Amino acid sequence: MKTVLAQYNKQAVYDAAEYIRQGEVVAFPTETVYGLGADAYNQAAVAKIFSAKGRPSDNPLIVHFADKSEIGAAVTEIPGDALKLMDAFMPGALTLVLKKNKRVPDNVTCGLDTVAVRVPDSEIAREFIRACGCPVAAPSANLSGRPSPTKASHVFEDMDGRIPYIIDGGETKIGLESTVLDCSGDKVRLLRPGGVAKREIEKVLGYKLIEGHSDEKPLSPGMKYKHYSPKSEVLLFAGEGASGRICAKYDEVEAKGMSAVILCLEGNTGQYAPRRTISMGKDLIDAQHNIFALFRENEYNDIIIVEGIEHEDGDALFNRLVKAGGGRVL
Ligand code: TXA
Ligand code: MG
């Protein structure tokens, strides 16, 4: 299959939406990462997302809407806390898990009785969804296990030959995925930290979020898989004395004749000299924006060493780094 990479304009949105109406899969930008979309109400189209991505069949998809007023069409009810969160953060980098109704095909939710819903803040994303005339089911547009795409070129790298069309809307603003909250139970649970900070959410709810899924039932199946990984081995360092341990590891790796690079905050590059460093930017926001692109750009190295960032809103980035590092913090 030939994959068209089209610069965003009205014609590109029209062409992409036409593919969606024909039951095909198309990649589009959002403010978090690029999505791999299909008509959420078309089971056969949704199945093509799983095969294009190589996604395990028990990892459910987020359904994207152009406007929050349309979410009611896919769910049985919207509880009070969910309404508060929708008022505060939609459109935005927040995904809510709600009880689904029969319109949503089982392969979108992998048989769960809930569906994840989101209204992207990106104008291009909403224009595209509006043009489709249906909600759009979409995971991140990377091959399963790879770093999420924050540029159209990343999507092309992973999806060339697998999907017919990519809308190039430039770099995504935030750079990591939405926060996923389960609103289907008594109290709201945090399933995945992301673009909207936990602190902001707790301010709106007026209570502390319960973290993770209940033990009996893996509510966010996606969290158990290998994720966000470049081809290099990622080693994440954090805590007391991290910079000394980073230097020691770098030297050990190079002594073995392998190549390493250190990803760190701009202000810290000096402390690793003369070792090879790449700046993640000046602060947490920059680092979130850049991390997935830096993973892809630096994966010709054997080892990517990453400096963990201490920040009260740093849990989303830290979560991605821990996963990329295979669950280890050194
Ligand atoms: O920012 C984002 O959320 C991006 C853009 C494209 O919108 N999408 C994204 O999708 O990150 P994906 O498929 O890579 O991650 C979706 C996460 C997974 O961890 C999945 O398990 C969880 O949401 N999820 C989806 N439906 C769920 C459900 N019904 N219950 C619990 N978790 C669910
Ligand atoms: Mg993903």
Side-chain angles (χ1 to χ4, degrees):
M1 180 187 299
K2 183 173 157 39
T3 302
V4 174
L5 178 56
Q7 198 62 42
Y8 162 74
N9 58 31
K10 285 211 157 21
Q11 185 66 42
V13 168
Y14 178 88
D15 291 344
E18 190 53 35
Y19 275 115
I20 295 289
R21 284 190 290 272
Q22 287 167 12
E24 293 300 328
V25 173
V26 158
F28 63 100
T30 82
E31 77 280 21
T32 58
V33 301
Y34 276 76
L36 195 61
D39 177 350
Y41 292 150
N42 179 340
Q43 185 153 6
V46 168
K48 292 181 188 172
I49 295 178
F50 286 87
S51 49
K53 236 187 110 93
R55 187 174 177 100
S57 62
D58 65 347
N59 191 2
L61 308 178
I62 296 172
V63 178
H64 298 69
F65 295 83
D67 192 277
K68 59 186 160 192
S69 63
E70 293 159 11
I71 289 174
V75 304
T76 59
E77 56 165 341
I78 304 181
D81 278 347
L83 282 171
K84 279 194 205 168
L85 294 166
M86 287 164 66
D87 277 344
F89 303 114
M90 277 189 188
L94 183 73
T95 294
L96 301 182
V97 171
L98 299 169
K99 286 259 189 303
K100 85 173 197 74
N101 68 25
K102 289 205 179 78
R103 273 194 94 173
V104 182
D106 277 344
N107 63 346
V108 170
T109 63
C110 301
L112 295 173
D113 60 359
T114 54
V115 61
V117 298
R118 167 161 129 77
V119 180
D121 189 36
S122 151
E123 292 286 350
I124 300 179
R126 281 183 286 135
E127 183 186 342
F128 164 65
I129 300 165
R130 237 178 276 121
C132 293
C134 59
V136 173
S140 49
N142 51 283
L143 283 175
S144 200
R146 298 270 297 144
S148 299
T150 56
K151 298 177 186 177
S153 59
H154 301 160
V155 180
F156 192 78
E157 206 171 273
D158 283 12
M159 291 296 151
D160 184 21
R162 294 174 166 261
I163 59 174
Y165 208 85
I166 301 168
I167 304 175
D168 182 350
E171 276 185 51
T172 62
K173 190 167 146 217
I174 297 178
L176 50 74
E177 304 85 345
S178 63
T179 306
V180 182
L181 298 177
D182 179 12
C183 296
S184 69
D186 287 348
K187 282 267 171 1
V188 176
R189 286 173 180 270
L190 176 67
L191 300 183
R192 178 179 75 182
V196 177
K198 208 171 74 180
R199 242 169 7 118
E200 298 296 317
I201 294 165
E202 289 175 341
K203 246 189 260 166
V204 169
L205 288 176
Y207 62 84
K208 292 264 173 223
L209 285 168
I210 306 169
E211 300 218 10
H213 39 70
S214 60
D215 291 339
E216 316 85 69
K217 200 170 136 205
L219 284 177
S220 196
M223 299 309 279
K224 72 175 185 259
Y225 292 105
K226 178 171 142 70
H227 256 102
Y228 315 117
S229 306
K231 289 167 189 150
S232 329
E233 184 178 4
V234 173
L235 300 177
L236 171 64
F237 288 81
E240 195 71 24
S243 63
R245 285 180 284 117
I246 286 175
C247 290
K249 176 53 82 175
Y250 181 100
D251 294 345
E252 179 194 320
V253 169
E254 295 267 310
K256 285 184 193 153
M258 297 192 294
S259 63
V261 64
I262 300 168
L263 303 188
C264 62
L265 283 180
E266 200 169 290
N268 294 345
T269 51
Q271 70 195 62
Y272 301 112
R275 299 170 187 83
R276 211 153 57 85
T277 55
I278 304 240
S279 166
M280 296 191 280
K282 62 180 183 319
D283 55 19
L284 176 73
I285 300 294
D286 280 356
Q288 292 187 159
H289 179 262
N290 295 329
I291 190 66
F292 287 138
L294 289 175
F295 276 169
R296 284 179 186 259
E297 287 158 16
N298 288 287
E299 64 184 356
Y300 63 87
N301 290 286
D302 298 304
I303 309 275
I304 297 177
I305 294 173
V306 191
E307 182 190 74
I309 298 176
E310 314 276 340
H311 190 288
E312 60 180 339
D313 294 331
D315 54 337
L317 178 63
F318 204 78
N319 165 276
R320 306 307 187 269
L321 295 176
V322 170
K323 283 176 176 288
R328 286 171 306 166
V329 184
L330 303 168

